[in-house]
Amino acid sequence: MAEIQLSTPQKRKLRSNSTPSPMQSSSAKWKSPRRCVKDCPKSPVKMQGNFGDKTINMTKSPVKKRLPESFLQKPMWNPRDVEQLNAVKEALHVSTPPATATVVCREVEYNRVLDFCKQSVEQDKAGSLYICGCPGTGKSLSIEKVKEVLVNWANESALQTPDLLSLSCTSLSNTSDIFGKILDKIHPRRKANGSMSPLQYLQKMSSQKQQSTGRKMMLIIADEMDYLITKDRTVLHDLFILTTFPFSRFILIGIANAIDLADRFLPKLQSLNCKPAVITYRAYSKDQIIPILQQRLEAFPYTVFQPQALELCARKVASASGDMRKALSVCRSAIEMLEGEIRDSIYSLQLPSLKMRLSDQQRGGACDKSPIQESGVVRVDHVAIALSKAYKSPVVDTIQSLPQHQQIILCSALKLFRGKKKDATIGELNISYVDVCKSTLIPPVGIMELSNMCRVLGDQGILKVGQAREDKLRRVTLKVDEADITFALQGIRLFRNYLQQL
């Protein structure tokens, strides 16, 4: 029979000097390729002879919960390295602009703003745009990118580059001072004229052709525009009306948090047929926050966060406010939690050495373990602590202060209601409760005591317990958000691993 040779990364050889045959007795100590692969799943099996020369990678079937491939490909970072630590903190700082051509998860809104500005510059046409949305939704970041791209586009297209004026309305001591800021940008050395206010001067310039001939277009970006709202709303009206004069050279972009400001405070503009176009920035969702965080970290050649930790941060921030600034702040705070752990017990967070891995191999368990040990990354419990500081919730505080078995009941309910099912009987809850107790090696209580604890949780407003002739038939429903239960129990070591498997 054709010779079969086995090669592994350890270059192990068969003990027998003679060529083994699969038809011989078991005393020949012949190992099949299947058995060798089971011993080490990453070992390639090279087969020769009648099979031809080919290398076949045979691996064990994947475990139930595997880390993402991108997580496994990168080495683990060293949080004790000051340079690495500062670089990651800098990347997660709110003031650090992302290194991308557009704003991640805001491409549609960004392109609408950019197209509006390009069209106004190309056609020498004044206009106004109102951008609204909750704080931390990418409004200011989009505008900064638009300004940069607009200047480059004008130069490449051989068009006259517009003047840029960016100001925060909160910095104005008087709301009408905004017209003086605009005039100073046009005529920096203009002497004050007591007979004419800055607004009147701007209106005169925009009404006469000879005054506007040869003057550049000006892009005015007024951030925090809702600070200009006065009792008679005159300043807001006059600012937007400036873009409607026949020879106006102003492109106005107003930014504010109030979504309905254009409808509530600018009805006069509607009657003048010059109501600004409105672009709304919605709050970030969980599926948007995760790629934004990943984009900030992808430049590093090492893994910083446990994937489940980023997911927990994104889920909680999205459910609370959708504020990306809050998500970045939570991530930086979680890194500081890891720093504190290292200072308190540096030995417990040392990276696995080669000697430890070799000792694991001698015990025969090296092939079944993940190639990355996660003790050096920011874990779920770090993020949970950071979130608890950022969001003080009475529900979370209540769950974290409950006795252990009541917390197990909530964990069991979480497992039971993870699908479309939203209620269950106490008997069904008891089966799930016993399973959790077995997995955590805690002796369960009886169903009568379980029913009493459910009643206590009902009195605290966490569960809703229905009525029935028998206790085990009473139906139970969660009255709090599942995310609050997950968030509250993630920081407790007993439930951490179990919740990650749900």
Side-chain angles (χ1 to χ4, degrees):
M1 190 170 180
E3 181 181 357
I4 297 177
Q5 293 181 351
L6 303 173
S7 62
T8 67
Q10 291 80 16
K11 297 184 179 179
R12 295 179 181 173
K13 296 183 179 179
L14 296 172
R15 295 181 181 178
S16 174
N17 294 328
S18 60
T19 302
S21 172
M23 300 299 295
Q24 294 176 357
S25 63
S26 60
S27 61
K29 297 183 180 180
W30 177 82
K31 276 189 176 183
S32 71
R34 185 184 297 257
R35 288 186 59 190
C36 292
V37 169
K38 285 184 178 179
D39 288 341
C40 190
K42 299 296 180 185
S43 301
V45 180
K46 188 174 183 180
M47 305 180 71
Q48 295 180 347
N50 297 335
F51 300 99
D53 293 338
K54 57 172 72 175
T55 300
I56 302 175
N57 288 321
M58 302 175 65
T59 59
K60 291 178 71 174
S61 59
V63 293
K64 292 181 179 179
K65 194 80 172 179
R66 291 183 68 87
L67 296 173
E69 188 176 346
S70 59
F71 184 78
L72 297 176
Q73 287 174 350
K74 289 186 177 182
M76 185 170 52
W77 78 317
N78 181 8
R80 297 190 300 278
D81 187 323
V82 178
E83 290 186 3
Q84 290 188 18
L85 194 64
N86 291 337
V88 173
K89 282 185 173 182
E90 181 69 21
L92 293 173
H93 200 278
V94 176
S95 62
T96 303
T100 54
T102 60
V103 183
V104 179
C105 298
R106 283 290 181 254
E107 292 83 0
V108 174
E109 295 86 349
Y110 163 82
N111 287 327
R112 286 183 62 190
V113 178
L114 182 60
D115 290 343
F116 166 80
C117 294
K118 283 182 177 180
Q119 185 178 3
S120 298
V121 172
E122 200 168 24
Q123 300 177 2
D124 277 344
K125 181 181 178 181
S128 59
L129 179 68
Y130 177 64
I131 297 175
C132 57
C134 299
T137 52
K139 302 186 299 296
S140 299
L141 184 60
S142 296
I143 293 300
E144 289 302 316
K145 286 286 184 182
V146 165
K147 284 163 41 179
E148 178 184 340
V149 173
L150 184 65
V151 171
N152 295 335
W153 168 81
N155 292 330
E156 292 172 0
S157 304
L159 296 171
Q160 196 174 36
T161 305
D163 289 330
L164 301 177
L165 174 62
S166 298
L167 52 90
S168 175
C169 297
T170 58
S171 64
L172 302 173
S173 56
N174 194 315
T175 55
S176 60
D177 290 347
I178 190 170
F179 303 112
K181 298 281 185 182
I182 297 172
L183 189 57
D184 288 342
K185 183 69 177 179
I186 300 172
H187 298 300
R189 298 179 182 177
R190 184 188 68 87
K191 294 183 180 180
N193 186 352
S195 62
M196 189 177 294
S197 68
L199 173 60
Q200 291 172 335
Y201 197 94
L202 292 172
Q203 290 172 340
K204 180 181 177 182
M205 289 174 58
S206 301
S207 302
Q208 301 175 2
K209 185 175 182 179
Q210 62 270 24
Q211 292 274 357
S212 61
T213 302
R215 189 158 51 89
K216 289 183 176 182
M217 298 292 291
M218 176 181 284
L219 176 61
I220 305 170
I221 299 171
D223 201 1
E224 307 291 350
M225 180 174 267
D226 40 0
Y227 277 84
L228 296 180
I229 299 174
T230 55
K231 188 174 182 180
D232 56 1
R233 299 187 279 280
T234 304
V235 174
L236 269 179
H237 289 158
D238 291 337
L239 184 60
F240 278 102
I241 291 174
L242 270 179
T243 64
T244 66
F245 281 82
F247 303 105
S248 175
R249 308 287 288 172
F250 301 121
I251 307 169
L252 174 63
I253 298 181
I255 307 173
N257 298 330
I259 295 177
D260 58 348
L261 182 142
D263 295 323
R264 289 167 48 209
F265 300 110
L266 304 176
K268 186 176 180 180
L269 299 182
Q270 181 73 41
S271 63
L272 296 173
N273 198 27
C274 58
K275 182 179 177 180
V278 179
I279 298 178
T280 303
Y281 280 63
R282 302 295 178 187
Y284 284 111
S285 66
K286 183 201 78 171
D287 294 331
Q288 290 175 323
I289 293 175
I290 291 177
I292 293 173
L293 293 175
Q294 290 173 338
Q295 181 269 329
R296 295 242 177 182
L297 297 169
E298 68 181 2
F300 298 107
Y302 39 76
T303 298
V304 180
F305 280 81
Q306 201 180 38
Q308 298 91 335
L310 286 181
E311 184 179 348
L312 175 64
C313 173
R315 191 188 314 122
K316 183 62 181 178
V317 171
S319 64
S321 61
D323 188 339
M324 194 62 219
R325 297 175 302 181
K326 180 70 73 173
L328 292 171
S329 175
V330 168
C331 287
R332 284 171 57 88
S333 179
I335 292 176
E336 292 171 359
M337 298 295 133
L338 179 60
E339 277 188 274
E341 271 192 7
I342 293 172
R343 284 194 299 266
D344 294 342
S345 181
I346 194 168
Y347 175 78
S348 64
L349 288 176
Q350 283 181 342
L351 301 180
S353 64
L354 179 61
K355 182 182 293 185
M356 293 173 62
R357 276 181 251 165
L358 289 175
S359 63
D360 288 338
Q361 289 180 1
Q362 292 174 359
R363 289 195 296 269
C367 292
D368 292 332
K369 292 190 176 181
S370 170
I372 288 183
Q373 300 291 330
E374 298 180 38
S375 58
V377 297
V378 181
R379 303 188 306 271
V380 169
D381 53 313
H382 296 136
V383 173
I385 295 172
L387 284 168
S388 66
K389 292 183 177 181
Y391 299 101
K392 290 293 183 181
S393 169
V395 174
V396 171
D397 292 341
T398 301
I399 294 173
Q400 289 177 338
S401 63
L402 290 173
Q404 188 179 72
H405 277 279
Q406 293 183 23
Q407 291 176 339
I408 295 177
I409 290 174
L410 294 180
C411 188
S412 308
L414 203 62
K415 175 187 174 184
L416 202 57
F417 302 148
R418 261 302 154 97
K420 295 181 179 179
K421 192 172 185 179
K422 294 304 177 185
D423 66 342
T425 64
I426 288 183
E428 294 171 330
L429 180 62
N430 182 61
I431 296 174
S432 178
Y433 163 78
V434 171
D435 290 340
V436 177
C437 287
K438 286 181 180 178
S439 66
T440 53
L441 302 179
I442 294 177
V445 300
I447 191 170
M448 291 299 296
E449 192 170 348
L450 176 75
S451 177
N452 291 333
M453 287 190 288
C454 288
R455 192 179 296 110
V456 172
L457 291 172
D459 293 339
Q460 298 188 56
I462 300 175
L463 291 181
K464 179 181 179 181
V465 184
Q467 299 293 330
R469 293 183 178 180
E470 298 182 43
D471 276 346
K472 66 179 181 180
L473 298 179
R474 298 171 71 181
R475 303 201 72 81
V476 178
T477 309
L478 281 176
K479 292 184 68 177
V480 297
D481 192 354
E482 293 180 9
D484 285 335
I485 299 177
T486 303
F487 174 63
L489 299 182
Q490 281 281 13
I492 302 174
R493 186 181 299 272
L494 178 68
F495 303 104
R496 187 185 307 149
N497 294 333
Y498 185 82
L499 288 173
Q500 289 178 7
Q501 296 173 6
L502 294 180

